[in-house]
Amino acid sequence: MDYYYDDYYDEYYEHPDQMAARLMQREFSFEETISNCVHPSIRFAAQYMTNFVAINLLFSILVVCIRKLFPIAHRSLHLLSCIFGATLLYRVIDHRFYHFLQLATSLYVVQWTLHRWLSGSGRYIKTPFIVIAYGIGNLLLSELLEPSPETWNRIRGTQMILLMKALSLAFDTEENQNLRSQLNVLSYTGYILCPANVVLGPWISFNDYLNIWKPSFGTETKHNRSFGRRLLIHVFRILVSALMAVGFLLTSNCMIDYLLSPIASWKWVRSYGRALSFRTSHYFIAYLSQCSMIAAAVDWNRAEDERSIMLPVTSLYRVSSPMAVEFPRSLVQVVTAWNIPMHLWLKRYIFRTTKRPFGTAAAIALTYIISSLLHGLHYRLWLTLLTIGSWTFVEHEIRKKLATIYSACVLVGKCPSACPVHQHRSKSVFCVVINALFFALNMFNLIYLGCIFETTEGPPEEADHDKTMFGRWTELNYASHWLLVFAYLFYFVI
């Protein structure tokens, strides 16, 4: 997800005392916050979200209608997807689509060339890895050559989703000849431009995209509902996702500053506010993309999605899980729940693919490297992911050792209530204390790792402003990194 820089935050590091003094008092009363922040934010959200919901609803209705008239005409799906996706792309990113066009076209040409001339040649480096190298290189070079950082920041997320789609396509069609036979210029363009996720994501596979034309409900299905009931459930989920998105936007823009301003003289409170504002802005994007996906899928649901009125945890549309992030048992849980589709993409195409030839440690490292590079030249994110990767490894190993030594349910993953392996169950005093300590550690890391980001984040001049990039961690005396060193030593001692 993309965030943008604001010169306002550069001034903070030049005049930290002035900034801290200003934060100790509220700039606006509650009524002024409502009129000056809440109302503008709601107007922005309404205008921005209308594009996604309206275009995707119209796309979905036309797909249902045309599918009934021409049930085997897959070209109709691809043409509709191209038209509505291009419309949404133009309305949201306007004239900046040339980067998208260049990357999408060149990725298809590279992939077609590899399949056409090098497929089955017994080469050591397989097609998907060549596509990964080209795609990431193209992405980084385009960012370096783009003269306007603001322009690139607006399309960063869109470019990342495009690259993830193309790379997953390279993996899926490498061995699956049936899927490759369905891939042509029109189907590729329809998949890339699918309005459900062309701008904000989330990533879906080429197979999931093709399933738009093949609804999973039949008249004999056990869990089949009437069309009217399913439609009501569908509309309800769109409204819930939209309201959640607006709620997180208001929290990020208005409520955090208003509530924390009176006590913001303490640096850890300021850091908590920045980190929480960053996370809630991410939840806004996540729920908006979830809303967009649901709007595009009036009759594109798996049977298990219709068993309850709320969206199931395993649904294809679920993008993030705020509760799992805000109250983490472990940092692994944070990584998994932060962006669920991207986690699945990295696990399926990067981790599992590299684990067998290179081993688990190298696969984890490559996964974090690819994840960082997909976001472009975002140095703060690179450092944050490196720190998270180190913490997840150390936490996993420490908890594994403690679970083995004391036969206790303190692993990264939660043990079943009647755990047959460990003597000390999760509700024992020892386990409660250990798990509570790790919970507190993870809450501390959420503050520390998130405070260097802003809701207006983006990386125009990070490389030339080391003080700006590390300033907030310097303010906190690099506490998490020192604690990481101590935890690593503790792991060897026990």
Side-chain angles (χ1 to χ4, degrees):
M1 308 303 172
D2 19 326
Y3 305 93
Y4 314 105
Y5 279 110
D6 191 324
D7 293 336
Y8 169 82
Y9 296 106
D10 291 337
E11 298 176 4
Y12 166 69
Y13 294 107
E14 296 171 5
H15 311 285
D17 296 333
Q18 296 177 18
M19 180 64 179
R22 190 184 68 79
L23 284 171
M24 285 195 296
Q25 55 184 359
R26 286 186 179 133
E27 290 188 2
F28 301 111
S29 65
F30 181 75
E31 292 76 13
E32 290 173 327
T33 300
I34 296 295
S35 60
N36 295 331
C37 184
V38 174
H39 289 166
S41 296
I42 291 177
R43 285 195 297 270
F44 161 77
Q47 294 172 0
Y48 193 63
M49 295 171 67
T50 298
N51 288 317
F52 292 90
V53 176
I55 289 176
N56 278 291
L57 275 176
L58 184 57
F59 165 73
S60 182
I61 292 170
L62 286 177
V63 165
V64 172
C65 294
I66 295 178
R67 188 175 58 206
K68 290 182 178 179
L69 296 174
F70 310 102
I72 60 173
H74 284 77
R75 287 189 176 185
S76 302
L77 164 66
H78 304 318
L79 285 172
L80 285 174
S81 183
C82 292
I83 293 169
F84 283 92
T87 302
L88 181 60
L89 199 64
Y90 178 78
R91 289 188 62 83
V92 174
I93 68 174
D94 197 17
H95 60 280
R96 304 167 184 87
F97 63 86
Y98 55 87
H99 282 296
F100 183 93
L101 183 62
Q102 176 274 134
L103 182 60
T105 304
S106 62
L107 281 169
Y108 180 79
V109 171
V110 168
Q111 193 168 159
W112 180 87
T113 302
L114 292 172
H115 282 159
R116 180 70 174 81
W117 301 105
L118 299 179
S119 181
S121 62
R123 63 196 179 282
Y124 180 72
I125 301 178
K126 294 186 177 181
T127 297
F129 295 103
I130 299 175
V131 177
I132 286 177
Y134 170 78
I136 291 177
N138 185 305
L139 189 73
L140 299 180
L141 184 61
S142 297
E143 183 172 1
L144 286 172
L145 296 178
E146 169 57 51
S148 171
E150 292 77 15
T151 295
W152 187 262
N153 287 332
R154 291 201 60 176
I155 65 171
R156 179 184 301 278
T158 303
Q159 295 293 96
M160 182 177 70
I161 292 298
L162 164 60
L163 187 53
M164 289 173 64
K165 285 184 177 181
L167 297 182
S168 67
L169 200 55
F171 279 100
D172 291 340
T173 57
E174 172 71 5
E175 304 295 340
N176 192 332
Q177 292 294 331
N178 181 48
L179 193 64
R180 189 187 299 185
S181 66
Q182 300 181 65
L183 181 64
N184 52 53
V185 174
L186 185 59
S187 62
Y188 172 81
T189 308
Y191 173 52
I192 294 299
L193 286 174
C194 181
N197 57 1
V198 65
V199 178
L200 300 176
W203 165 82
I204 59 171
S205 69
F206 187 57
N207 257 331
D208 290 327
Y209 163 72
L210 293 177
N211 284 337
I212 299 176
W213 208 253
K214 297 178 291 186
S216 58
F217 289 100
T219 55
E220 74 283 359
T221 305
K222 178 180 178 180
H223 300 286
N224 188 37
R225 314 277 185 161
S226 68
F227 178 77
R229 179 177 176 80
R230 286 195 285 118
L231 185 61
L232 287 176
I233 292 175
H234 196 79
V235 172
F236 174 79
R237 290 174 178 173
I238 293 174
L239 291 175
V240 169
S241 297
L243 290 174
M244 291 292 289
V246 173
F248 282 120
L249 178 67
L250 295 179
T251 302
S252 178
N253 286 356
C254 310
M255 302 314 298
I256 293 175
D257 286 343
Y258 177 80
L259 295 173
L260 296 183
S261 291
I263 56 173
S265 58
W266 190 31
K267 62 184 179 182
W268 281 101
V269 173
R270 295 198 299 274
S271 298
Y272 173 77
R274 294 189 196 106
L276 183 60
S277 181
F278 168 72
R279 294 198 301 275
T280 49
S281 67
H282 167 74
Y283 302 147
F284 162 68
I285 298 295
Y287 274 96
L288 177 53
S289 61
Q290 178 175 300
C291 180
S292 179
M293 281 284 291
I294 298 175
V298 168
D299 198 29
W300 177 29
N301 294 294
R302 297 178 296 176
E304 57 266 28
D305 281 357
E306 297 298 336
R307 293 175 183 174
S308 66
I309 192 170
M310 300 304 295
L311 196 65
V313 175
T314 58
S315 174
L316 176 69
Y317 315 128
R318 186 170 292 277
V319 179
S320 184
S321 178
M323 289 295 292
V325 175
E326 297 302 317
F327 302 97
R329 177 184 175 88
S330 66
L331 276 182
V332 173
Q333 179 177 310
V334 174
V335 171
T336 302
W338 178 257
N339 189 328
I340 298 171
M342 187 167 189
H343 167 74
L344 294 175
W345 186 92
L346 290 167
K347 183 178 180 180
R348 181 189 302 182
Y349 298 112
I350 307 301
F351 179 77
R352 288 179 178 171
T353 306
T354 57
K355 181 180 179 181
R356 179 174 295 178
F358 303 116
T360 302
I364 292 174
L366 285 170
T367 301
Y368 277 101
I369 290 172
I370 296 297
S371 177
S372 301
L373 294 176
L374 283 173
H375 290 83
L377 301 174
H378 204 319
Y379 307 112
R380 291 184 183 184
L381 185 64
W382 292 3
L383 292 169
T384 302
L385 288 176
L386 176 63
T387 306
I388 290 176
S390 303
W391 262 118
T392 52
F393 173 77
V394 171
E395 181 188 6
H396 178 274
E397 294 304 314
I398 289 177
R399 296 180 80 151
K400 184 179 178 181
K401 264 194 174 183
L402 290 175
T404 302
I405 295 171
Y406 298 102
S407 186
C409 294
V410 294
L411 292 169
V412 167
K414 189 175 182 180
C415 294
S417 55
C419 180
V421 178
H422 301 118
Q423 181 180 350
H424 298 284
R425 305 288 173 81
S426 57
K427 293 184 179 180
S428 67
V429 175
F430 176 80
C431 292
V432 169
V433 170
I434 296 298
N435 289 325
L437 289 174
F438 277 105
F439 171 78
L441 173 64
N442 293 321
M443 291 294 293
F444 164 80
N445 277 324
L446 281 179
I447 298 173
Y448 180 86
L449 296 172
C451 73
I452 65 169
F453 296 102
E454 294 291 349
T455 56
T456 53
E457 190 72 47
E461 299 177 356
E462 286 178 339
D464 299 323
H465 293 81
D466 288 342
K467 185 178 180 181
T468 301
M469 186 162 57
F470 295 104
R472 288 166 189 152
W473 282 352
T474 303
E475 183 186 14
L476 300 178
N477 302 313
Y478 297 96
S480 180
H481 290 91
W482 285 112
L483 196 58
L484 175 61
V485 173
F486 172 79
Y488 197 66
L489 294 174
F490 177 73
Y491 162 70
F492 282 105
V493 170
I494 61 174

